[in-house]
C-alpha cells in the first residue's frame, strides 16, 4: 500500500516553505482562490513523475525572488517502509530513499515509481472541484459522498475493471505489482 504522509514545498511557485501532513483515508485541502491548492497537487505529481507531470516548464515553478534551491519532498509509506522522494527543480538535486534502496538519478527514480507505485501516466492529472461541490461532499450522506468522490477521481472505472479481474489469474502480476497496478497497466498498454 502507498500512503502519502507529508509533502514539503520549498521555493515552489507560491510557497517559500510549507508542509502538509496527510492522514490515512480521505484528506480535504481547503484554501482560498490563489492559496496554492493546485500547486500542492502539482508538487505531489512532480515528486512522483517529474517534469512530465506538470504543465509548462520547470522554471515556471521556481518561486519568484527565491534565493535558495527549489524542491518538493514527499514522505510516504510504501509497504512496511518509509519512502522519501526529494525532487529538486534542478535534476541533480533529486533523491529517493526506501529501506536500503537509495538512488539519485532521475531515470532510476522514474523507474522506481513506475515499478512500485504507479505508471507516470496516472500522475499527470489535477483533480479539483468547486466550493459548492466541496460543500455538497461535506453535507451529503456517506453513500452519496462515496459516489461523488469515486466519479470525481474516476475510481468508478477502476473499480469496475478490478471487479472484472476476478476471473483473471494473478500470474499476470509483475513483481511488487498489486491488482490495481495490473488494471492501470492493462488500461494504459
Amino acid at each position: 500500500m502507498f500512503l502519502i504522509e507529508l509533502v514539503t514545498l520549498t521555493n515552489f511557485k507560491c510557497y517559500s516553505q510549507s508542509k502538509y501532513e496527510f492522514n490515512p483515508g480521505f484528506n480535504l485541502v481547503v484554501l482560498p482562490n490563489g492559496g496554492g491548492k493546485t500547486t500542492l497537487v502539482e508538487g505531489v505529481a512532480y515528486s512522483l513523475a517529474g517534469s512530465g507531470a506538470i504543465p509548462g516548464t520547470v522554471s515556471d515553478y521556481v518561486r519568484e525572488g527565491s534565493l535558495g534551491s527549489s524542491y518538493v519532498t514527499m514522505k510516504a509509506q510504501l509497504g512496511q517502509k518509509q519512502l522519501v522522494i526529494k525532487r529538486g527543480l534542478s535534476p541533480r538535486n533529486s533523491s529517493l530513499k526506501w529501506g536500503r534502496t537509495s538512488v539519485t538519478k532521475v531515470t532510476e527514480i522514474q523507474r522506481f515509481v513506475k515499478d512500485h507505485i504507479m505508471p507516470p501516466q496516472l500522475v499527470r492529472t489535477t483533480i479539483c472541484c468547486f466550493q459548492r461541490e466541496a460543500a455538497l461532499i461535506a453535507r451529503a450522506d456517506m453513500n452519496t459522498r462515496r459516489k461523488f468522490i469515486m466519479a470525481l477521481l474516476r475510481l468508478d472505472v477502476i473499480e469496475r475493471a478490478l471487479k472484472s479481474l476476478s476471473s483473471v489469474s494473478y500470474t499476470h502480476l509483475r513483481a511488487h505489482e498489486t491488482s490495481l497496478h495490473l488494471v492501470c497497466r492493462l488500461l494504459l498498454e
Side-chain angles (χ1 to χ4, degrees):
M1 178 163 82
F2 175 69
L3 176 67
I4 297 173
E5 297 175 331
L6 178 70
V7 175
T8 304
L9 303 161
T10 304
N11 293 323
F12 192 83
K13 280 183 96 173
C14 62
Y15 293 105
S16 58
Q17 174 80 26
S18 291
K19 293 182 181 186
Y20 289 91
E21 292 185 39
F22 297 93
N23 296 309
F26 182 73
N27 290 267
L28 183 65
V29 177
V30 179
L31 293 168
N33 288 342
K37 299 177 295 292
T38 300
T39 301
L40 173 61
V41 173
E42 290 169 340
V44 170
Y46 183 74
S47 68
L48 288 170
S51 59
I54 55 175
T57 64
V58 172
S59 61
D60 296 337
Y61 287 80
V62 175
R63 184 171 173 264
E64 192 174 317
S66 64
L67 300 175
S69 298
S70 299
Y71 57 91
V72 178
T73 303
M74 182 180 66
K75 292 183 181 179
Q77 281 299 122
L78 179 59
Q80 299 298 317
K81 301 175 192 168
Q82 185 174 60
L83 170 70
V84 178
I85 299 175
K86 179 180 177 182
R87 287 247 197 200
L89 294 180
S90 164
R92 65 181 174 274
N93 292 334
S94 297
S95 63
L96 178 145
K97 291 184 175 125
W98 183 60
R100 293 183 179 179
T101 302
S102 181
V103 296
T104 56
K105 291 184 180 175
V106 171
T107 54
E108 292 174 358
I109 295 171
Q110 300 292 89
R111 188 176 317 112
F112 181 92
V113 169
K114 180 181 177 190
D115 292 346
H116 297 281
I117 303 170
M118 67 180 66
Q121 296 92 326
L122 295 180
V123 180
R124 295 183 182 127
T125 258
T126 299
I127 306 292
C128 64
C129 65
F130 294 103
Q131 179 86 27
R132 66 182 176 274
E133 293 168 324
L136 170 71
I137 294 170
R139 289 192 304 263
D141 63 88
M142 186 61 79
N143 192 40
T144 304
R145 188 180 304 154
R146 182 183 181 282
K147 285 180 183 177
F148 178 83
I149 293 169
M150 292 287 283
L152 179 69
L153 300 177
R154 304 285 317 229
L155 294 175
D156 52 340
V157 174
I158 294 173
E159 187 176 58
R160 283 194 303 274
L162 281 171
K163 285 180 181 175
S164 72
L165 275 180
S166 60
S167 62
V168 174
S169 165
Y170 282 92
T171 59
H172 292 90
L173 294 177
R174 295 177 181 164
H176 306 293
E177 191 173 50
T178 66
S179 55
L180 178 58
H181 286 101
L182 174 62
V183 169
C184 296
R185 182 168 49 84
L186 293 174
L187 289 172
L188 294 169
E189 288 180 347

